[in-house]
Amino acid sequence: MGNIVAREDFEWVYTDQPHAARRKEILAKHPEIKALMKPDYNLIWVVVLMVLAQLAAFYLVKDLTWKWVIFWAYVFGSCISHSMTLAIHEISHNSAFGNNKAMWNRWFGIFANLPLGLPYSISFKRYHMDHHRYLGGDGIDVDIPTNFEGWFFCTRFRKFIWIVLQPFFYAIRPLCINPKPITRLEMINLLAQLSFDAVIYYLWGVKSTFYMLAGSVLGLGLHPISGHFIAEHYMFLKGHETYSYYGPLNLLTFNVGYHNEHHDFPNIPGKNLPLVKKIAAEYYDNLPQYNSWIKVLYDFVMDDTISPYSRMKRQLKGEVKQD
């Protein structure tokens, strides 16, 4: 079912990530970009509407036949669920209420988490900050696959299975690479989620509960939006660590496709990232970019030179500060 790919290890690099230096250079040339570093209060209302939409869907599917529950879980629920994980990504950067109200963002993230069915928000925040500070950092950045993933998922069929199982690997990878002590907020996130799930089951039964959980798993696995997991940092071109996507699915994902722009300016909400690209076009127009996440998924599976090993990795030096 496909040939073994040539790569047998990660691409080890001994340079710093490019984003800090480029941010400094862009701000020196375009100081007006600082005006974009402000909360996106519209995010609050979008998230509230998404939660209400999923609540309505939980009610509407409770009496459907199983084939239609599964159909709507993939066609509608998966899109909302994946979009909500990217709203939580925005919230983790304090984009909803600003840096001065960090705890408001944490509580709001727990609220946004509810229709996903699985506790996610607080732990994601802790690990995602490491991803920005120490991009590719060995033993720190859990966005990097494990050695097992790189070694085992090396044929076309196995890479396809790896894409299907992405939610599983994203869940267990932190425990394998960089386990952290559980915090009070994570326990609150867990208890709030279990309570919400129990209420949904009590009110509307097993089909609504299944729709909720299946939508999250399907939306983060074999799904067009999931192309962003691979598009962001997998090295399709040697020497390029981060890639942007400028296609229409940015409308559903809070512009997470503007990924070079996001890593250069993580404190600018997704809503304003197209303006960053427009203002500093000379820095972004010539960088490698995508227009289709579906094609990224296809190329990842079919290109025998690409695998979970196709990531840049760094051996970090000096003091490492983690959340």
Side-chain angles (χ1 to χ4, degrees):
M1 295 293 261
N3 299 319
I4 301 296
V5 298
R7 180 171 289 278
E8 296 180 353
D9 195 3
F10 297 101
E11 181 81 8
W12 288 88
V13 294
Y14 303 94
T15 56
D16 292 334
Q17 59 166 296
H19 300 288
R22 188 161 61 220
R23 174 169 58 248
K24 184 177 180 180
E25 189 175 333
I26 290 175
L27 286 176
K29 189 173 181 180
H30 299 288
E32 65 270 27
I33 284 178
K34 293 179 182 179
L36 304 177
M37 301 175 183
K38 57 186 179 181
D40 175 15
Y41 295 118
N42 288 332
L43 177 63
I44 299 168
W45 307 115
V46 171
V47 166
V48 170
L49 288 173
M50 289 169 69
V51 171
L52 293 176
Q54 278 294 67
L55 285 174
F58 296 160
Y59 174 77
L60 291 171
V61 303
K62 66 183 179 66
D63 296 320
L64 296 180
T65 60
W66 277 107
K67 68 176 181 180
W68 286 111
V69 173
I70 295 169
F71 173 83
W72 288 114
Y74 188 78
V75 171
F76 183 77
S78 63
C79 296
I80 296 290
S81 292
H82 201 137
S83 184
M84 188 64 89
T85 67
L86 295 168
I88 290 171
H89 167 254
E90 288 284 290
I91 296 164
S92 76
H93 285 282
N94 295 332
S95 292
F97 296 98
N99 292 322
N100 293 330
K101 295 180 177 178
M103 281 305 299
W104 287 39
N105 289 282
R106 301 294 77 75
W107 293 118
F108 191 56
I110 291 173
F111 168 76
N113 195 154
L114 293 177
L116 296 178
L118 300 167
Y120 166 81
S121 176
I122 299 301
S123 296
F124 173 79
K125 152 74 176 174
R126 298 178 73 197
Y127 284 104
H128 187 64
M129 295 305 103
D130 294 340
H131 171 64
H132 276 274
R133 293 190 192 108
Y134 308 111
L135 181 63
D138 184 35
I140 301 296
D141 184 359
V142 300
D143 193 62
I144 298 285
T146 60
N147 279 306
F148 170 78
E149 291 170 75
W151 168 77
F152 185 77
F153 294 99
C154 58
T155 68
R156 293 177 182 178
F157 177 71
R158 291 181 188 180
K159 287 189 289 182
F160 175 80
I161 296 301
W162 183 77
I163 289 173
V164 173
L165 296 178
Q166 275 191 106
F168 172 75
F169 288 112
Y170 270 93
I172 66 168
R173 201 180 288 153
L175 304 176
C176 300
I177 294 177
N178 186 18
K180 297 183 180 186
I182 296 175
T183 65
R184 174 176 165 270
L185 272 179
E186 283 175 305
M187 288 302 301
I188 293 172
N189 193 176
L190 172 63
L191 292 173
Q193 192 62 61
L194 291 176
S195 299
F196 179 83
D197 295 351
V199 169
I200 295 301
Y201 179 79
Y202 175 79
L203 290 177
W204 298 319
V206 67
K207 289 180 179 177
S208 296
T209 307
F210 175 86
Y211 167 90
M212 173 171 58
L213 297 173
S216 296
V217 173
L218 293 171
L220 297 170
L222 186 63
H223 195 281
I225 298 177
S226 292
H228 82 86
F229 288 131
I230 294 169
E232 289 166 1
H233 297 293
Y234 283 79
M235 194 173 54
F236 281 80
L237 291 175
K238 187 174 177 63
H240 291 277
E241 186 168 14
T242 306
Y243 302 76
S244 288
Y245 156 84
Y246 299 124
L249 288 176
N250 277 309
L251 295 172
L252 298 177
T253 58
F254 301 91
N255 287 327
V256 75
Y258 287 76
H259 217 66
N260 269 300
E261 295 85 347
H262 172 60
H263 271 267
D264 288 353
F265 299 99
N267 56 341
I268 292 181
K271 176 185 176 181
N272 292 332
L273 292 178
L275 290 174
V276 172
K277 181 181 184 298
K278 182 177 180 181
I279 292 170
E282 69 273 25
Y283 288 92
Y284 297 112
D285 284 353
N286 294 322
L287 292 177
Q289 55 191 252
Y290 302 112
N291 291 304
S292 171
W293 278 334
I294 295 175
K295 188 175 187 304
V296 168
L297 291 171
Y298 177 84
D299 289 346
F300 179 82
V301 171
M302 299 305 293
D303 187 336
D304 292 337
T305 67
I306 304 296
S307 78
Y309 268 143
S310 300
R311 292 290 296 263
M312 287 190 182
K313 205 171 185 183
R314 295 177 172 83
Q315 190 71 50
L316 296 174
K317 299 178 181 179
E319 184 180 5
V320 174
K321 297 180 179 179
Q322 301 183 67
D323 281 358

